[in-house]
Amino acid sequence: MRDALRVGAYAGTVLLLFGILSFGLTGNFDLWTAVHVTGGGLLLLIGLAGNLAGVRRTVAARGTRERAFAATGTLVFAALVVALNVLAARFPKTWDVTENKVYTLSPRTLSVLASLKRPVELVAFFPQGDRGREPIAELAARYTGKSDKVTFKFVDPEKDPQLADQLGVTKQGTLAARSGDDKAQAAADNGAVDEGELTNLLLKVARPGGVKLYAVTGHGEPDVADVETPTGWGRLAVALKEDNVEIRPLLLATAPSVPDDAAAVLLASPAKPLLPHEIDALRSWLAKGGRLLAMIDPGQTPGLDALFADYRLALDDDMIVDKEEIAFLGARLGLDPIVEDFPPHPITKGFKQRILLSQARSITIEVEGGLPGVVAQPLARTHDTAWGETGWRAMMETGRVAKDAADKDGPLVVAATATAEVAGDPDAPADTAKKQARLVLVGDADWVANGNLGNFFNREMLVNVLHWLTGSEDLIVGPPKALRASRLDMTVADQRNLFRFGVLLLPEVLLIGGLVAWLRRKAL
């Protein structure tokens, strides 16, 4: 009977410890844990109560105290290990060690998250077992970890069709976003949603309505719906949709004025001069605090010289010639200057890349004149090896060029901005924000056509320009991160040291500790 009580006490102790361990690791006091804790506790109490005399003798014995000290030390060590594992499980921490930080949210996403003013609910309609669940859960966790206004959950549309109807979701593999009454969704192509698509969802519901840009047409400008030909602007329109920006064509010649919902007007490569009515419409638009992006190729005369002069800007009648490195041929003179000099400006904040122009002209920034309070400044400049070729027409016919005294020395301004404060309503409240007219002038229009949009960072530069024009400076960030394969190069010595520290060190320390304890007990 006494042996049975002793075995019961030992078994109860083991059951009780494993019950506590289960609760610590899972955080759930379920049936398995309850059976272990309750059963183990009862067995331990019964064993102790039925053998009190033996317990007293055992406790009083010298060997028991030593074993108790050893057991206590072991339990403390085990408790520390368990506590660290529990803390690690409940408060996970990750480190992105990739070279380009591809598993860290981009500055653009962080900016959007920081600007959220109301809660956004993300709902992923993915069934159980779908291989897309884990990647999207990991991505969403980065968003919810940075903003308490973003929540995320999975929903099976077959089990919760009511929520699917509310969000307008009709198929599985869809990620939906809802903020107030505004809803948007994105289909998971190839079973995945990337950071750009998810951030775009946030923009659609957090800034409903989007931004509308109007591209002037009727003078031979590129077609904003053309995604096939190299000269079209369709790919730019597609790219801007990611930022909830829409480009619409505007036949200004037949419109009374620039539409009221226009965030900015684009004028690109007009082959023919604008009508006086169109010029007046643009001037009136700017006078009311409008925004204009004008990109004019060499030789084009849109008839906007007086308007540009109001903002202290002027187009030069030249074509930029610069040195180009051509494979197998070395340095040659070319007409496609690489631009990587961007003076400080909100548009180029964090922009440390380069763009590639195609047959560009230079721009002159006047120091005086123009509208009162106009501020004009350079946005992009060529290398000092470039020059503005004034005899460019003959150059294009003969294929020969040489710098002479009439040419303009580099570095040359190829893009410039101008701002002017607009007189507000005198009856408006004192705290009403003042309007500001903004103008960006670029001496090239081909650099963002379909065939050139992907060159270097042309696309990112133009997107930043449009964000500045439309007052969305918080979306201006550096260039996107690219995922590329990374490799850890290790020498034979590095591999040997890694094996020693990872495989041998811990067992070695434990073994030495055990030997020390055994030797101390033997010496007593």
Side-chain angles (χ1 to χ4, degrees):
M1 182 63 181
R2 183 177 299 175
D3 293 339
L5 291 173
R6 183 181 300 170
V7 172
Y10 285 136
T13 303
V14 172
L15 289 174
L16 180 61
L17 290 177
F18 272 80
I20 296 173
L21 186 63
S22 171
F23 177 71
L25 292 176
T26 63
N28 295 321
F29 198 82
D30 52 11
L31 180 61
W32 194 94
T33 304
V35 169
H36 277 69
V37 172
T38 305
L42 287 175
L43 285 175
L44 180 59
L45 290 175
I46 293 173
L48 294 175
N51 190 24
L52 286 177
V55 172
R56 292 194 185 96
R57 287 196 300 274
T58 303
V59 171
R62 180 182 178 184
T64 300
R65 291 198 298 271
E66 295 170 355
R67 286 192 289 273
F69 290 147
T72 303
T74 303
L75 289 175
V76 170
F77 177 76
L80 288 174
V81 173
V82 171
L84 290 175
N85 279 277
V86 171
L87 290 174
R90 294 189 176 181
F91 304 99
K93 178 67 177 176
T94 58
W95 287 269
D96 185 356
V97 297
T98 57
E99 181 180 356
N100 292 329
K101 302 298 179 185
V102 295
Y103 298 109
T104 302
L105 294 179
S106 67
R108 171 177 175 265
T109 296
L110 295 177
S111 176
V112 171
L113 290 173
S115 66
L116 292 178
K117 293 181 173 54
R118 57 183 184 178
V120 177
E121 179 185 13
L122 298 175
V123 183
F125 290 88
F126 288 69
Q128 288 288 346
D130 192 294
R131 61 187 178 88
R133 288 176 67 99
E134 183 176 350
I136 197 171
E138 292 179 354
L139 179 61
R142 298 177 207 156
Y143 283 70
T144 56
K146 293 294 182 182
S147 174
D148 57 4
K149 288 186 170 58
V150 180
T151 59
F152 172 78
K153 66 179 179 182
F154 280 112
V155 169
D156 189 335
E158 295 183 356
K159 296 180 179 179
D160 194 350
Q162 185 177 2
L163 182 57
D165 291 339
Q166 291 175 0
L167 296 177
V169 175
T170 58
K171 64 178 182 179
Q172 296 180 345
T174 299
L175 178 63
R178 177 169 60 182
S179 180
D181 296 331
D182 297 300
K183 297 173 290 185
Q185 58 181 269
D189 296 332
N190 300 320
V193 174
D194 60 27
E195 181 184 335
E197 293 171 317
L198 184 46
T199 301
N200 189 33
L201 270 183
L202 295 182
L203 283 173
K204 287 181 179 178
V205 297
R207 303 180 184 183
V211 174
K212 294 182 179 62
L213 307 178
Y214 284 86
V216 176
T217 63
H219 317 85
E221 293 88 351
D223 185 358
V224 296
D226 179 9
V227 296
E228 300 295 336
T229 63
T231 58
W233 262 31
R235 295 180 186 176
L236 172 63
V238 172
L240 290 176
K241 283 186 178 180
E242 295 182 3
D243 288 332
N244 207 16
V245 177
E246 178 186 5
I247 300 182
R248 295 181 176 183
L250 172 62
L251 186 57
L252 193 56
T254 60
S257 61
V258 175
D260 293 335
D261 61 349
V265 174
L266 314 182
L267 176 64
S269 190
K272 298 293 182 181
L274 275 64
L275 301 176
H277 158 68
E278 296 174 292
I279 298 173
D280 292 340
L282 291 178
R283 190 187 296 278
S284 300
W285 163 249
L286 288 171
K288 294 187 297 183
R291 314 295 170 87
L292 173 64
L293 168 60
M295 296 183 285
I296 312 298
D297 286 323
Q300 293 180 336
T301 54
L304 296 172
D305 292 349
L307 187 149
F308 292 152
D310 287 344
Y311 292 86
R312 296 183 180 175
L313 299 177
L315 290 165
D316 298 329
D317 185 17
D318 60 11
M319 183 177 290
I320 296 173
V321 180
D322 198 359
K323 290 182 179 179
E324 298 177 358
E325 288 291 337
I326 302 176
F328 308 111
L329 297 178
R332 295 288 190 275
L333 293 177
L335 303 178
D336 300 333
I338 295 176
V339 178
E340 49 190 349
D341 180 11
F342 304 101
H345 193 282
I347 293 176
T348 53
K349 179 183 64 176
F351 192 88
K352 300 178 181 178
Q353 307 299 326
R354 55 181 62 88
I355 60 175
L356 178 64
L357 303 183
S358 177
Q359 296 187 3
R361 67 198 298 175
S362 64
I363 296 171
T364 297
I365 299 176
E366 304 292 347
V367 179
E368 299 179 348
L371 298 173
V374 167
V375 177
Q377 61 185 108
L379 180 63
R381 292 183 294 218
T382 66
H383 296 147
D384 56 5
T385 56
W387 76 84
E389 177 59 47
T390 54
W392 63 275
R393 292 178 178 83
M395 174 188 70
M396 299 299 286
E397 292 178 358
T398 63
R400 297 180 178 180
V401 63
K403 187 175 182 299
D404 55 40
D407 298 330
K408 191 174 180 180
D409 295 329
L412 303 170
V413 176
V414 292
T417 67
T419 59
E421 298 295 335
V422 176
D425 185 355
D427 299 329
D431 57 349
T432 303
K434 292 184 177 179
K435 292 185 177 181
Q436 185 183 63
R438 293 182 177 181
L439 170 63
V440 176
L441 180 60
V442 184
D444 180 27
D446 302 326
W447 67 296
V448 290
N450 291 340
N452 299 323
L453 186 63
N455 289 336
F456 291 113
F457 289 84
N458 291 8
R459 173 186 178 278
E460 288 76 11
M461 180 66 177
L462 182 66
V463 169
N464 283 1
V465 167
L466 295 176
H467 282 323
W468 179 74
L469 281 175
T470 57
S472 301
E473 289 93 337
D474 58 324
L475 297 180
I476 296 177
V477 295
K481 295 170 288 188
L483 177 63
R484 70 175 190 179
S486 299
R487 185 177 65 182
L488 177 63
D489 293 323
M490 299 180 66
T491 64
V492 175
D494 294 334
Q495 297 176 23
R496 185 167 55 246
N497 291 332
L498 181 62
F499 174 76
R500 285 172 175 168
F501 281 95
V503 179
L504 300 180
L505 182 61
L506 182 58
E508 188 177 359
V509 169
L510 293 177
L511 181 58
I512 292 175
L515 287 173
V516 170
W518 178 74
L519 290 174
R520 290 189 60 187
R521 289 184 58 191
K522 188 177 179 181
L524 294 175

